[in-house]
Structure formats: C-alpha cells, structure tokens
Amino acid sequence: MIYAVILAAGASSRMGRPKALLPLGSRGETVVSRGVRVLLEGGLPAVTVVAGVHHEAIREALPPNDRRTQVVAHPGWEQGQLSSLIAGLDAVDGPQVEALLVTLVDVPLVRPDTVRALVAAWRSSGAPIVRPVDGSRHGHPVIFDRSVFADLRAADPRVGAKAVFAARQAQLMDVPVNDEGAFLDLDTPEDYARAQQLVGGSGVVNPRT
C-alpha cells in the first residue's frame, strides 16, 4: 500500500499567519482540509498530517471521526522539513507500506487526477522517486518508494531530501502534468491571493492552457 503524508509543521513566517488554517475555495475548506480531501479523492487510503506548533488547531480543522486521517504532533519541527518527513514516515511505516506520497501543506491546489497519475506511474515503473513536472518545473506530491526509506532516514538534515534526489537522479521518474496546482507554493499573502483567484467560485483549479 501507499500512504500519504502532508508536511504542515512550519511556522508560516512569510505568510504572517498559519497557512494551514487559511480558508480556501467555496466549500468551507481550509488549506489543510482541502489538501487532505484531494489526496483521499486521488485514491490514497490514509493521510497523515505532520504539524508543529499549530497541531491542535490543525486537528480541529479536519473532519472529526474520519479514521483515514490523523495528525502527528512533531515537537522537533524547527529542525527542518526533513525531520517532519521522517516523523510522518515513522508514524505510518510498517510491513504493508510500499511507498510514501509526500506533499506540502503549501501546495493544496493539486488535482486528484494528478495524484492518481503519479501513483499509476509509480506502480507501473517501480521507480524510487516519482514527481510531477511541467517543463523545467517540478512540484508536489512526490512519491518515495520503500527502497529509499533508509536513504531518507540517513540524509543530512542540513541538506534534506535534496541529497536523496541527487543520489537517485538517474532513477528519478518525472511525470508531465497539466496542473498548475502542483506547482503553486503558498508562501506569502500574494501567493494566497493567487490561489484564491485560481479556485474562484467553483473551488476547482483549471489546467493551464
């Protein structure tokens, strides 16, 4: 099985307020609840959200009593993004886990069909790392096959997962997608305004034309 992890442990310093809790779209969703919904609609059986200082508020922002979703409080979130990834991996890892799909709370507008395309590409190829691309851009989610779990755990926290990407460069599988949501990172109020504009009244992000 393939499990999903959303990294939502950052301080949102550039946004000025917790980005995971910002309202997004017309369905009464927040950034984090939309991200969870998209992954579940994309076929993932369970989603783990790794949260830092705002973990209680993030837990309250998600649908209650949904056993497919859990929030993991990561007290060491200030150690960097890789530490959050490892916290998520440790929370779900077991004999049944074949791969881990990782995304950022910063990237909530990816479409379910993009998630399904990435999973299908991983299943058909067995590639150690699968990611969406659009020309020279690469985005999220990213799938890490079980064969790289040890590499992730051994990576230098100061370098992060980039070291694993570099070591596996020849085996990387890039999946072309026409999905602006896979590449839009919500870091600043300007990014958030653009995201709100993209979802518009329908709550759906259209492909690039």
Side-chain angles (χ1 to χ4, degrees), residues 1-4 97-101 122 143-146 149:
M1 295 181 70
I2 177 169
Y3 282 72
V97 179
E98 302 171 90
L100 190 71
L101 180 145
W122 166 74
I143 296 178
F144 295 100
D145 185 80
R146 186 174 190 87
F149 286 4

Side-chain angles (χ1 to χ4, degrees), residues 115-127 130 143 173-175:
V115 176
R116 288 189 286 267
L118 293 168
V119 172
W122 166 74
R123 291 199 181 281
S124 64
S125 68
V130 177
I143 296 178
M173 183 173 189
D174 289 335
V175 179

Side-chain angles (χ1 to χ4, degrees), residues 46-196:
V47 179
T48 294
V49 181
V50 179
V53 65
H54 306 296
H55 63 90
E56 291 186 0
I58 287 175
R59 186 175 286 110
E60 292 176 1
L62 297 177
N65 305 318
D66 188 340
R67 295 186 178 181
R68 299 173 299 171
T69 305
Q70 67 169 333
V71 176
V72 172
H74 177 40
W77 63 271
E78 291 180 291
Q79 298 171 19
Q81 194 176 95
L82 179 62
S83 74
S84 294
L85 193 161
I86 299 305
L89 175 58
D90 288 345
V92 303
D93 197 9
Q96 79 284 4
V97 179
E98 302 171 90
L100 190 71
L101 180 145
V102 178
T103 192
L104 309 178
V105 76
D106 312 46
V107 189
L109 300 188
V110 61
R111 299 199 313 267
D113 60 308
T114 294
V115 176
R116 288 189 286 267
L118 293 168
V119 172
W122 166 74
R123 291 199 181 281
S124 64
S125 68
I129 301 175
V130 177
R131 65 183 180 184
V133 298
D134 178 18
S136 61
R137 299 189 298 171
H138 56 266
H140 284 84
V142 175
I143 296 178
F144 295 100
D145 185 80
R146 186 174 190 87
S147 62
V148 301
F149 286 4
D151 295 348
L152 290 168
R153 289 188 167 110
D156 186 340
R158 295 169 297 180
V159 180
K162 291 180 181 180
V164 181
F165 279 88
R168 299 281 186 155
Q169 186 66 41
Q171 302 166 294
L172 268 174
M173 183 173 189
D174 289 335
V175 179
V177 300
N178 184 21
D179 180 2
E180 188 64 18
F183 308 97
L184 178 60
D185 218 333
L186 270 61
D187 283 328
T188 66
E190 292 76 19
D191 297 332
Y192 175 53
R194 183 174 178 226
Q196 287 282 53

Side-chain angles (χ1 to χ4, degrees), residues 3-14:
Y3 282 72
V5 167
I6 297 177
L7 305 183
S12 302
S13 55
R14 282 187 284 174

Side-chain angles (χ1 to χ4, degrees), residues 28-60:
E29 293 180 310
T30 61
V31 167
V32 68
S33 66
R34 181 187 175 102
V36 168
R37 174 179 62 80
V38 166
L39 295 182
L40 293 174
E41 289 183 359
L44 278 298
V47 179
T48 294
V49 181
V50 179
V53 65
H54 306 296
H55 63 90
E56 291 186 0
I58 287 175
R59 186 175 286 110
E60 292 176 1

